Amino acid sequence: QVQLVESGGGLVQPGGSLRLSCAVSGRIFSIYTMGWYRQAPGKQRELVAFISSGGTTSYVDSVKGRFTISRDNAKNTVYLQMNNLKPEDTAVYYCNTQSGLLPWGQGTQVTVSS
């Protein structure tokens, strides 16, 4: 069974940076469009960025210019570089396919606070 393991979260001050990683088990990683999602307390989970198997990327407006999604198909890993973090970026971050096809992992907590 495919598993998703997110890591890299933490507490950071506004304006700071974090790099999230998501390791995906299984041999089929390279064919999927992969995405990063986040869920803030009391809010629905939202897709904030995704990357196709060929490397085409897309971002929600609120993170454009600050977040960068990338992938390493040889390592079955997708990354999210987050710069100039804001308090409103505070959430649990998850990875999954663009359609949320795979079993969800535990996520990684990102807290932006002074």
Side-chain angles (χ1 to χ4, degrees):
Q1 183 176 356
V2 177
Q3 290 186 320
L4 306 170
V5 180
E6 300 93 348
S7 61
L11 172 63
V12 64
Q13 292 186 342
S17 299
L18 285 172
R19 188 192 194 208
L20 307 183
S21 299
C22 172
V24 183
S25 65
R27 300 180 180 179
I28 55 176
F29 170 79
S30 63
I31 69 171
Y32 286 132
T33 293
M34 294 298 298
W36 279 97
Y37 298 73
R38 67 185 179 188
Q39 186 167 20
K43 295 187 177 181
Q44 289 190 335
R45 188 176 293 168
E46 67 168 338
L47 177 64
V48 297
F50 63 83
I51 183 168
S52 72
S53 58
T56 301
T57 60
S58 182
Y59 303 90
V60 68
D61 285 346
S62 60
V63 308
K64 279 181 181 177
R66 301 189 298 120
F67 290 10
T68 303
I69 189 171
S70 60
R71 66 192 295 163
D72 185 335
N73 288 339
K75 295 182 178 179
N76 279 15
T77 302
V78 60
Y79 304 97
L80 188 68
Q81 177 67 44
M82 304 187 296
N83 298 328
N84 190 22
L85 283 160
K86 303 177 180 181
E88 52 263 41
D89 295 318
T90 295
V92 180
Y93 284 71
Y94 304 85
C95 69
N96 209 311
T97 67
Q98 186 183 4
S99 57
L101 177 66
L102 302 174
W104 293 91
Q106 81 287 351
T108 186
Q109 176 70 48
V110 172
T111 303
V112 185
S113 175
S114 56

